[in-house]
Amino acid sequence: MKRRSGLKVMTKLIGLVKPLTGFMLLAVFMGLLGHLCASFITILGGYAVLDLLNFSTPVSLTAVFVLVVVFAVCRAGLRYGEQSCNHFIAFKLLALIRDKVFRALRRLSPAKLEGRGKGDLISVLTSDIELLEVFYAHTISPAAIALLFTVILCLFIGSFHWALGLLALLAYLVVGLLIPWVTSRLAGEDGMQFRSKSGQLSSFVLDSLRGLSETIQYGRGSRRLEKMEQKTDDLSRDEKRMKRTSGINAAVANTVILLFDLAMLFASTLLYQNGAVGLDGVLIPTIALFSSFGPTVALANLGSTLQNTFAAGNRVLDLLEEEPVVEEITGKPEIGFLGAEVSHVTFAYGQETILRDFSLKIPLHSVVSIVGKSGSGKSTLLKLLMRFWKVDRGEVSLSGRSVEEINTANLRDLESFVTQETYLFHDSIRNNLLIAKLDATQEELEAACRKASVHHFIQSLPQGYDTPVGELGDTLSGGERQRLGLARAFLHDAPFLLLDEPTSNLDSLNEGVILRSLDEEREDKTVVLVSHRQSTMRIADTVYSVEQGRMS
């Protein structure tokens, strides 16, 4: 994870506002006018007092009452308009950011997402992005408003005496900048730790739910619950520490405001005694400062909460800026399938070498079987043929062309890949199959399912092909899920089939039906078959054995 400074995170997040710049400027304009209305309602009260004391004032008592009513009404409308714009910007941007994150996940998948905690990803997609609402709705425009408001009030107060204007500027800088900066430094990495631990807890809970039956079976429920409580307590301690920092920040800000108010009263009184200002120079600047800390207090209160927000933004930016292992290829000439070859390929996951100088030819319309111990690189080979990963050395080619020179969409059309674990969405059997071919007819669905020896099972269900499969396909057995995965591959109807342990969860009868289907397909298809079962090898034209990443 990249460690970005708060300023860098803020700059990058602000950059995302570009499509909604007009709405942001409108929010700043209405917010600035609204705060000025609120402050000048109080300031006009000071002018009313001076008028009653028969001092010369720029506005009459009648005008004061009229302006107070006008400003109060305008304040309400402007506040509503500002918040409406800010929240429109925030929720619109959250939708755009989620779209960007999903695009990034699609770009990174599958290589960069293998082994990554799904709960942590869910935390980024939900709570982390949701936290950015605070930044877009309650940070950007308030910061701009505070800056402009400070300039105007300093000029107004300074019109009575330059020293009072400088004192007001110092007050705004201390409350709006110094206190949030000190609070942020005191908070340190608390926000990032909190977001990371929150993601880890989400992963742990999701993992616990998925493994609930195993936990109960082996009597590990109390131990699992104990770990969950430890993680929850740890997270609660971090949150308590963050809230304590936030409370101290608010207390210090309010204390400093009171001290500056008293300082303004003392300074203006001293100037009055020296004849530098009149009574209005005491009353109006003091009242103006009293009533003008709203925008800067909003910034002061963000000092601690922004740590959490910036931590969430940092995690989101990590996803958006992460570089994929393989980039999508476009703009190359389309090809058909005429065979495949793996030539002197070496590949490693990090420091662990899986394949070493590995070579393999897969002729057109052949069935090639690959056997070997677990961890020997069989599944990795299929992923390299799919170009999920890039080889370190050597070349993987289809039809005499490197997979690095084939359009990604073209490559996906040429290949069907059945993994050891079939993922089923929480949807109907029909919709889970249609992923392979969205416009497939009922006849095509049934033909694919017959080849996968699953059609009669589907027909026996109450709703047939419209039967829901439950979350992660939990209502089906492992063998039924595996046959649906094979049915997808048959429905995709690609000329190159890559099958990773396609019959590992099947009985001999269903295995026989599927192998017969594959044997019948050999005239139109080329098959690479990875399996530990000797019975599966009988349809293969060639059987290769892989040992420690080498062909034997």
Side-chain angles (χ1 to χ4, degrees):
M1 180 179 291
K2 294 181 182 178
R3 296 291 180 181
R4 304 174 181 85
S5 66
L7 181 60
K8 191 169 185 179
V9 173
M10 183 170 64
T11 303
K12 287 181 175 293
L13 291 177
I14 290 174
L16 298 175
V17 182
K18 191 175 180 180
L20 300 170
T21 303
F23 286 99
M24 182 58 72
L25 292 175
L26 182 60
V28 171
F29 177 71
M30 289 191 293
L32 176 61
L33 288 183
H35 280 292
L36 288 173
C37 286
S39 291
F40 273 90
I41 288 173
T42 309
I43 292 169
L44 286 170
Y47 281 116
V49 171
L50 289 172
D51 188 74
L52 290 172
L53 295 174
N54 295 320
F55 279 86
S56 177
T57 61
V59 287
S60 65
L61 190 60
T62 303
V64 166
F65 282 108
V66 172
L67 288 173
V68 165
V69 173
V70 172
F71 285 175
V73 173
C74 288
R75 167 60 174 162
L78 290 168
R79 178 67 173 170
Y80 177 81
E82 177 205 354
Q83 291 300 308
S84 294
C85 282
N86 280 335
H87 284 86
F88 171 78
I89 292 167
F91 292 117
K92 183 70 174 179
L93 282 173
L94 294 191
L96 292 174
I97 291 170
R98 282 199 173 96
D99 181 65
K100 286 178 179 287
V101 168
F102 277 111
R103 288 176 183 270
L105 289 175
R106 180 179 179 275
R107 191 166 50 92
L108 294 172
S109 184
K112 280 291 183 76
L113 301 185
E114 275 193 13
R116 186 158 183 171
K118 300 302 183 288
D120 187 51
L121 281 175
I122 291 170
S123 179
V124 172
L125 291 167
T126 53
S127 59
D128 283 348
I129 292 180
E130 197 65 33
L131 269 175
L132 297 184
E133 186 269 339
V134 174
F135 180 74
Y136 289 117
H138 306 291
T139 305
I140 300 179
S141 66
I145 290 166
L147 175 62
L148 296 173
F149 184 84
T150 295
V151 171
I152 293 171
L153 262 292
C154 286
L155 292 174
F156 176 74
I157 295 173
S159 67
F160 292 90
H161 195 279
W162 63 266
L164 300 180
L166 286 179
L167 180 60
L169 178 61
L170 179 62
Y172 296 138
L173 290 177
V174 170
V175 175
L177 291 180
L178 182 60
I179 292 176
W181 181 79
V182 171
T183 303
S184 175
R185 299 290 293 179
L186 290 174
E189 296 292 321
D190 287 352
M192 180 60 72
Q193 290 177 13
F194 181 80
R195 297 314 311 160
S196 297
K197 289 179 180 179
S198 179
Q200 292 168 14
L201 179 60
S202 295
S203 289
F204 188 84
V205 172
L206 184 61
D207 196 36
S208 299
L209 289 172
R210 286 179 173 174
L212 193 58
S213 58
E214 285 77 7
T215 301
I216 294 172
Q217 178 183 348
Y218 294 106
R220 290 292 180 263
S222 58
R223 178 60 179 159
R224 196 77 184 176
L225 183 60
E226 182 182 342
K227 286 185 178 180
M228 190 179 298
E229 288 176 345
Q230 286 175 355
K231 290 179 178 291
T232 303
D233 291 342
D234 194 22
L235 195 65
S236 296
R237 282 192 293 270
D238 286 349
E239 186 173 20
K240 182 180 179 180
R241 186 166 59 251
M242 290 171 62
K243 289 190 179 297
R244 185 187 301 115
T245 302
S246 178
I248 293 172
N249 170 74
V252 170
N254 289 329
T255 302
V256 169
I257 288 171
L258 178 60
L259 292 175
F260 272 111
D261 287 338
L262 294 174
M264 178 62 75
L265 179 60
F266 176 79
S268 59
T269 302
L270 190 62
L271 290 171
Y272 175 74
Q273 290 175 343
N274 292 328
V277 297
L279 183 59
D280 60 336
V282 177
L283 184 62
I284 301 302
T286 303
I287 290 176
L289 190 68
F290 275 18
S291 63
S292 62
F293 278 105
T296 47
V297 165
L299 292 184
N301 291 337
L302 289 172
S304 54
T305 57
L306 276 184
Q307 283 300 305
N308 208 5
T309 304
F310 284 163
N314 201 53
R315 282 157 54 84
V316 172
L317 290 171
D318 275 343
L319 263 181
L320 293 178
E321 296 177 1
E322 189 167 356
E323 293 297 324
V325 173
V326 292
E327 295 280 0
E328 188 162 329
I329 298 173
T330 57
K332 305 292 183 181
E334 298 288 304
I335 66 168
F337 182 75
L338 300 173
E341 184 175 359
V342 178
S343 179
H344 302 289
V345 163
T346 296
F347 175 77
Y349 292 115
Q351 301 300 316
E352 183 183 3
T353 300
I354 305 299
L355 297 174
R356 297 181 183 85
D357 196 30
F358 186 93
S359 297
L360 173 69
K361 286 190 176 182
I362 306 167
L364 183 65
H365 299 157
S366 65
V367 178
V368 174
S369 185
I370 301 174
V371 297
K373 296 178 181 178
S374 295
S376 59
K378 306 184 302 298
S379 298
T380 297
L381 174 63
L382 300 188
K383 293 175 183 178
L384 293 176
L385 286 165
M386 288 290 296
R387 197 176 166 269
F388 288 170
W389 296 84
K390 294 177 71 171
V391 300
D392 298 326
R393 288 195 299 273
E395 184 180 71
V396 177
S397 59
L398 264 66
S399 305
R401 185 187 297 179
S402 169
V403 292
E404 300 298 327
E405 295 296 322
I406 302 174
N407 292 334
T408 303
N410 187 194
L411 187 66
R412 298 290 180 264
D413 287 339
L414 295 175
E415 297 176 328
S416 288
F417 183 30
V418 179
T419 61
Q420 295 182 30
E421 294 293 331
T422 299
Y423 184 88
L424 296 178
F425 295 91
H426 194 177
D427 207 333
S428 66
I429 290 175
R430 180 188 306 279
N431 289 337
N432 269 286
L433 292 172
L434 287 175
I435 291 170
K437 187 178 180 182
L438 293 175
D439 59 349
T441 64
Q442 180 64 27
E443 290 73 21
E444 289 174 317
L445 285 177
E446 292 181 6
C449 289
R450 284 192 179 93
K451 291 177 184 178
S453 186
V454 74
H455 172 68
H456 294 300
F457 161 72
I458 296 173
Q459 290 289 74
S460 69
L461 298 173
Q463 300 178 55
Y465 281 83
D466 294 314
T467 302
V469 299
E471 188 175 2
L472 300 176
D474 283 346
T475 59
L476 305 177
S477 69
E480 289 158 357
R481 290 196 295 271
Q482 192 167 40
R483 281 182 283 163
L484 286 175
L486 285 164
R488 277 177 179 165
F490 285 125
L491 184 63
H492 185 50
D493 200 27
F496 192 25
L497 273 174
L498 306 173
L499 308 178
D500 192 358
E501 299 285 359
T503 61
S504 58
N505 293 321
L506 305 183
D507 55 39
S508 57
L509 179 61
N510 284 312
E511 180 189 33
V513 173
I514 290 167
L515 292 178
R516 185 170 65 251
S517 297
L518 290 173
D519 195 41
E520 291 171 353
E521 294 277 323
R522 70 170 62 234
E523 291 185 5
D524 300 315
K525 302 209 180 331
T526 303
V527 182
V528 176
L529 187 59
V530 169
S531 180
H532 287 94
R533 287 188 175 186
Q534 291 299 321
S535 56
T536 307
M537 304 300 162
R538 64 175 182 265
I539 66 166
D541 299 312
T542 310
V543 178
Y544 293 100
S545 177
V546 181
E547 296 293 338
Q548 296 182 342
R550 293 180 179 272
M551 190 73 74
S552 61

